[in-house]
Amino acid sequence: MAASDIAQRAQFLRDQLNYHNYRYYVLDSPEIPDAEYDRLFRELLEIEAAHPELLTADSPTQRIGGLPLSGFSQVTHRQPMLSLNNAFDENEVIAFDRRVREAAGQEIIEYEVDPKFDGLAISLTYENGVFIQGATRGDGYTGEDVTQNLRTVSAIPLRVASDTPPKLLEVRGEVLMLHKDFAALNAAQREKGEKTFANPRNAAAGSLRQLDSRITASRKLAFFAYGVGEVQGWKLPKKFSDIMQQLKQWHFPVASESEVVQGVEGLLDYFQHLGGKRDKLAFDIDGVVYKVNDLQLQEELGFVSRAPRFAIAHKYPAQEEITQVLDIDVQVGRTGAITPVARLAPVFVGGVTVTNATLHNEDEVRRKDVRIGDWVSVRRAGDVIPEVVSVMEDRRQDDVREFVMPDKCPVCGSHVVRLEGEAVARCSGGLFCPAQRKQALLHFASRRAMDIEGLGEKIVDQLVDNAIVHNPSDLYKLGLVKLANLDRMAEKSASNLLAAIEKSRSTSLPRFIFALGIRNVGEATAKDLARHFGKLDVLMAANEAVLTQVTDVGPIVAQSVAQFFAESHNREVIEQLRAAGVHWPESEPRRTHGIGALAGKTFVLTGAMPNMTRDEAKERIEAAGGKVAGSVSKKTDYVVAGAEAGSKLTKAQELGVTILDEDGLLALLNPEAQGKLEF
Ligand code: IVH
C-alpha cells in the first residue's frame, strides 16, 4: 500500500471506531458486533505500530491507557469552575425564582433543568475539534491534569463530531460510575479480599485519580456533559438548552432527563417527577439543577462570590445517613448464603426509613470493623439494598460488642460452613433448610435433574407456603386431592403432575446426584461422580481426598460434596427419598487405585526418604484416601521409615506395625504398576 493510502486507511479506521464507540457508549445502540469493532481496532493498532508517525491524539487506540505517571500536573482553568448554591426546600426555590424575576423584570422565567449528577466535575478541552486536555475541578481555579485517564472513558469523544468544530471548546461535565458497574466493581474487590468503595462517587474519584491509566481503563466510568467553559470560534446560541443540543450533536453524552420548563411551577414539577424516578436511574443524583435558559439574562444576573445567580441546585434527601447498630444477626438466602445484617435504629435515608442494612459477609464485617452499638454511615441508593458503609470510630463506646458468625443455621439448625477460598458462609442443609426449600425443590424437579414436568414456580410456592411440601421426598406423598385443591390447578393438570412425579421415581444416578443441588456440582460433575463411584452409598462415604481422585473434581468441589453428605439432615432426606421409592440402577465402582486404595489406613512418616519429601509423601497418601498421623499407636497401619528414623521406628517395631521404605510406599500408592491392592 502506498504511504498516502495507509494514512487514509488509518483515518478511515479512526473515524469508524470513533463513530461506533459513540453508537455503543453514548447512544447505547451499537450498529456492529463487538467482534467487528475489535477487528477494526486491531487493524488500526497494527498500522500505528508500523507507522508511529500516523498515531494521533484522537486515535481510539489511546483509550487503553498508557505508562503510569509519577504525579499529576496542575492545570489552570481558562474559566473558573464554580459551585452552585443549594435549595433544600420549596421556599428556597420560590425565593430563587423571585430574585430572578425581579432582576429580569419578567413575569415568568424559562429554565433549563437537569439532574444533579453525584460524581466528579471535570473540564475537557478540544482544540480544533481534538481532545487535548482533561482536568479535575480542583479548587475551581486550578485542577489536576487527568487527560490520560479521561481518554480511557469511552463516553468521552476524542474528537468533536463536526467538520467545522470551534477553534477552542471547553466542555464541562461530570464523571461518574453507573450503579451496575459500581456493584460489579465492589463485588470483584470483595472477591479479591480488597477494599470496597463506599459509593459510586468514591469509586469514580478513586478510578479517575489513578496514576496508572490502565487501571482507570479497567474501571467502567461514565460521563455526562452539563455545560461549556471557554469557547472560541463558535457563536453561542441565545439559549442554554441550544448549547446542550449542540453538544449532543457533537456526540457528547447529555442526560436524557434534561428538559426546558416554565416558571417556578415547572421547576417544582420537575423536582417531583425526577424524584419519583430517582431509584430507577442508572446513576446517583443528589438533586436537580435549575438554570436560567436565556444566556443574555444569565450574563446580566452574573455571580455572587463563587456561585452563579442564574442557577441553583435543589437537593433530594441524602442517600447516606448516620445511625446506630442495635444488633447484628444473619439472614439465610435462597441458596443458603448466610449474610450478616445490621439491625439499625430507624433512619430516613434515600427517601425511605431504613432499619436493616447488609454487611455482605463475615470478612466485610471485620474489614469495616462494625460492632454492635457502633454509629455507622448507612447508604441506600437506587434499587440497591441498604448497606453499612463505614463506622464512625470517634463515636465508639466501650460497651460495643463484636459480631460472632453462628455455627448453626438460624433457620434449620444445620451446620454453617465456609468453604476454603470463599467469602460467603452457607447453611449446609440444602435439602432440608426452609430458607432454601423453594429453590431446592425447583432445582430437584428441573428438566436435567428429576425432570418433573409441570412442577413450576407457582406450584412450588403454594406447596411450600401451605406447608404441604417440606423437602423433595414429600413430593412423592402427594395425592390428587391435595394437588387439585391448589390455586389454578385443574384436575387434568394435577393428574399430569402426579404422573410426572411418579415417572421420576425411576431415575439415573447422575440425575439424582445433580438433583440434590450440591453447591458446585453441575450436571457434568454429577456424571463424573456417578461414573466413578457407581453407587450412592460409596459416594456418600467418600472423604475429600477420595473425591479429588475423580476426573475434573478439584478441592473445592470435593469440599462441597463432602460437606453436603456430612450434614445429617441431608442424609435423612436422601433416606426418605429412597424409602419413597426413588431408585436408579447402580454399578460397580470404577477399578481404580484411587478410591479406597489407602482409605481408612493410617500412616506415620519418620526419617528422610531418598526421593520424596515428607510433605510430598503426605500429600500422595491423603490423595489416595489415607491419613497421616504424627505419632505411632496401635491404630497405625504403616510406618514409612527413611534414613535416620528415630523413636517412631522403634515404637513401630515394638507394636508390630508394618514398616515400609519409600519403594514400599510407592507400591501401595501405585498398585496398578505392582499388580496388587486393586479395589
Ligand atoms: S452546572 C456554575 N449542572 O455540581 C456552576 N453542575 O455544586 C455550573 N453538578 O461542581 C454547574 N450536576 O460538578 C451543573 N447538571 C449539572 C450538574 C452540576 C452536577 C455539580 C458540578 C459542580 C457542582 C456545583
Side-chain angles (χ1 to χ4, degrees):
M1 230 194 265
S4 64
D5 291 345
I6 296 174
Q8 222 172 22
R9 180 72 187 162
Q11 181 61 44
F12 170 79
L13 290 168
R14 274 195 300 272
D15 289 348
Q16 282 284 305
L17 287 163
N18 278 329
Y19 171 72
H20 290 300
N21 197 69
Y22 163 72
R23 298 282 321 188
Y24 191 96
Y25 287 101
V26 181
L27 299 185
D28 204 7
S29 150
E31 264 176 14
I32 57 169
D34 292 359
E36 177 64 8
Y37 184 92
D38 293 344
R39 204 184 58 71
L40 298 172
F41 194 90
R42 274 197 307 275
E43 187 185 343
L44 182 59
L45 268 179
E46 278 162 24
I47 294 180
E48 287 173 350
H51 306 274
E53 73 282 2
L54 293 180
L55 185 61
T56 60
D58 70 335
S59 174
T61 59
Q62 300 308 293
R63 289 197 188 275
I64 52 182
L67 291 179
L69 305 171
S70 53
F72 297 115
S73 47
Q74 298 283 309
V75 174
T76 305
H77 300 302
R78 288 183 172 80
Q79 281 187 18
M81 295 180 75
L82 302 173
S83 51
L84 290 167
N85 287 324
N86 290 321
F88 291 99
D89 59 34
E90 284 195 2
N91 291 334
E92 290 176 7
V93 177
I94 292 167
F96 160 75
D97 175 65
R98 188 186 316 116
R99 287 194 300 273
V100 174
R101 277 190 289 113
E102 282 170 6
Q106 289 173 21
E107 290 275 298
I108 254 196
I109 305 290
E110 181 172 281
Y111 295 98
E112 195 271 353
V113 293
D114 0 277
K116 186 169 191 299
F117 308 101
D118 197 4
L120 278 97
I122 54 153
S123 177
L124 307 170
T125 305
Y126 293 79
E127 255 176 32
N128 298 315
V130 177
F131 175 55
I132 55 144
Q133 191 174 63
T136 61
R137 176 170 182 265
D139 64 3
Y141 299 95
T142 347
E144 283 178 324
D145 185 334
V146 286
T147 313
Q148 285 235 47
N149 291 346
L150 288 171
R151 273 194 218 290
T152 71
V153 178
S154 304
I156 293 180
L158 297 176
R159 170 181 281 279
V160 175
S162 164
D163 291 338
T164 53
K167 188 164 166 305
L168 181 84
L169 171 69
E170 256 181 70
V171 175
R172 301 279 167 85
E174 200 96 344
V175 162
L176 43 85
M177 196 176 277
L178 303 184
H179 290 147
K180 67 173 168 43
D181 297 324
F182 170 68
L185 173 60
N186 263 0
Q189 294 287 106
R190 219 169 269 131
E191 189 85 355
K192 287 188 278 184
E194 283 175 20
K195 192 181 146 291
T196 52
F197 294 96
N199 52 49
R201 210 192 99 80
N202 285 8
S207 306
L208 193 60
R209 294 204 67 258
Q210 288 288 337
L211 289 170
D212 186 344
S213 52
R214 288 164 301 190
I215 298 181
T216 316
S218 74
R219 307 271 175 85
K220 291 196 172 133
L221 293 174
F223 170 75
F224 288 102
Y226 56 62
V228 294
E230 176 93 352
V231 181
Q232 292 169 14
W234 177 51
K235 191 171 173 307
L236 289 184
K238 289 210 161 43
K239 292 184 173 187
F240 181 77
S241 52
D242 291 332
I243 297 183
M244 297 310 288
Q245 276 308 317
Q246 182 58 260
L247 287 179
K248 219 165 154 173
Q249 275 162 25
W250 283 336
H251 290 185
F252 289 90
V254 170
S256 57
E257 291 79 12
S258 295
E259 282 177 29
V260 172
V261 303
Q262 309 297 326
V264 70
E265 269 176 31
L267 298 181
L268 297 176
D269 279 355
Y270 181 72
F271 181 79
Q272 282 293 330
H273 174 71
L274 198 67
K277 292 205 303 193
R278 187 185 185 193
D279 273 0
K280 288 169 204 74
L281 293 181
F283 45 84
D284 274 1
I285 62 171
D286 55 348
V288 293
V289 182
Y290 307 141
K291 298 166 189 168
V292 168
N293 204 18
D294 180 335
L295 289 174
Q296 165 90 40
L297 179 54
Q298 276 200 6
E299 201 166 301
E300 282 167 26
L301 285 161
F303 298 83
V304 248
S305 67
R306 298 186 53 191
R309 273 204 202 85
F310 57 80
I312 199 163
H314 189 180
K315 305 291 283 268
Y316 288 121
Q319 290 178 311
E320 240 178 89
E321 289 290 354
I322 292 170
T323 188
Q324 197 176 19
V325 177
L326 304 177
D327 199 0
I328 300 178
D329 54 26
V330 298
Q331 237 167 31
V332 190
R334 291 188 323 143
T335 58
I338 306 232
T339 309
V341 176
R343 308 293 171 196
L344 305 168
V347 60
F348 191 68
V349 47
V352 300
T353 301
V354 166
T355 51
N356 303 311
T358 179
L359 286 159
H360 297 287
N361 58 51
E362 197 180 358
D363 291 350
E364 189 100 338
V365 179
R366 305 280 169 247
R367 214 175 297 131
K368 289 181 178 160
D369 191 20
V370 184
R371 305 190 197 170
I372 300 159
D374 266 336
W375 288 87
V376 292
S377 170
V378 173
R379 175 183 149 83
R380 183 195 164 272
D383 290 332
V384 185
I385 306 165
E387 65 171 348
V388 172
V389 174
S390 58
V391 174
M392 312 285 110
E393 276 182 35
D394 50 338
R395 289 179 73 170
R396 176 171 285 170
Q397 304 286 311
D398 292 339
D399 59 354
V400 294
R401 281 184 297 127
E402 283 202 34
F403 161 74
V404 184
M405 192 69 164
D407 55 1
K408 296 273 169 60
C409 170
V411 176
C412 76
S414 297
H415 290 95
V416 169
V417 295
R418 187 168 158 194
L419 300 186
E420 229 174 284
E422 279 204 9
V424 176
R426 291 173 194 280
C427 162
S428 60
L431 286 181
F432 173 81
C433 181
Q436 302 171 62
R437 231 168 235 169
K438 291 182 181 174
Q439 181 97 337
L441 283 165
L442 283 168
H443 176 76
F444 184 82
S446 64
R447 199 171 50 79
R448 300 194 329 268
M450 300 299 277
D451 193 19
I452 306 178
E453 209 185 322
L455 192 68
E457 214 163 307
K458 293 217 174 81
I459 295 174
V460 165
D461 279 354
Q462 292 185 64
L463 291 174
V464 171
D465 294 345
N466 296 330
I468 301 170
V469 168
H470 299 95
N471 72 52
S473 75
D474 297 331
L475 291 173
Y476 296 95
K477 299 172 196 148
L478 287 172
L480 195 58
V481 181
K482 274 234 163 84
L483 274 182
N485 273 342
L486 297 180
D487 253 11
R488 277 182 290 166
M489 182 69 125
E491 196 159 320
K492 178 87 176 100
S493 26
S495 69
N496 284 346
L497 178 54
L498 269 190
I501 292 173
E502 188 54 42
K503 194 170 135 213
S504 75
R505 263 188 237 267
S506 169
T507 184
S508 69
L509 184 55
R511 276 183 180 274
F512 186 76
I513 295 171
F514 178 57
L516 297 176
I518 305 168
R519 196 165 163 75
N520 301 316
V521 176
E523 214 184 350
T525 306
K527 280 186 184 148
D528 288 338
L529 292 169
R531 200 175 309 128
H532 192 96
F533 292 102
K535 297 180 175 22
L536 185 65
D537 286 330
V538 181
L539 166 62
M540 286 172 70
N543 63 18
E544 283 178 42
V546 171
L547 284 159
T548 49
Q549 298 280 297
V550 181
T551 330
D552 290 340
V553 169
I556 293 177
V557 177
Q559 252 194 89
S560 288
V561 176
Q563 297 278 12
F564 184 88
F565 290 121
E567 185 55 50
S568 59
H569 294 126
N570 291 334
R571 299 175 87 98
E572 280 158 25
V573 176
I574 291 170
E575 263 337 291
Q576 290 164 16
L577 281 163
R578 287 207 267 211
V582 176
H583 65 278
W584 51 86
E586 298 208 322
S587 56
E588 284 308 304
R590 242 172 76 173
R591 289 172 66 82
T592 153
H593 60 86
I595 38 167
L598 303 184
K601 303 291 182 203
T602 302
F603 289 71
V604 171
L605 307 174
T606 176
M609 281 177 276
N611 300 307
M612 249 192 278
T613 66
R614 232 185 278 179
D615 277 347
E616 268 166 13
K618 180 167 187 276
E619 231 168 68
R620 293 188 58 178
I621 290 167
E622 286 176 350
K627 264 203 317 223
V628 175
S631 59
V632 181
S633 73
K634 272 191 286 189
K635 290 190 192 142
T636 310
D637 295 293
Y638 300 100
V639 166
V640 184
E644 285 163 45
S647 62
K648 290 181 188 171
L649 178 58
T650 326
K651 181 96 184 272
Q653 285 162 338
E654 279 169 24
L655 293 173
V657 174
T658 311
I659 295 162
L660 303 171
D661 59 5
E662 187 182 84
D663 283 345
L665 173 63
L666 284 171
L668 282 186
L669 286 168
N670 212 353
E672 272 163 352
Q674 314 289 323
K676 55 182 172 181
L677 258 170
E678 276 185 80
F679 195 89

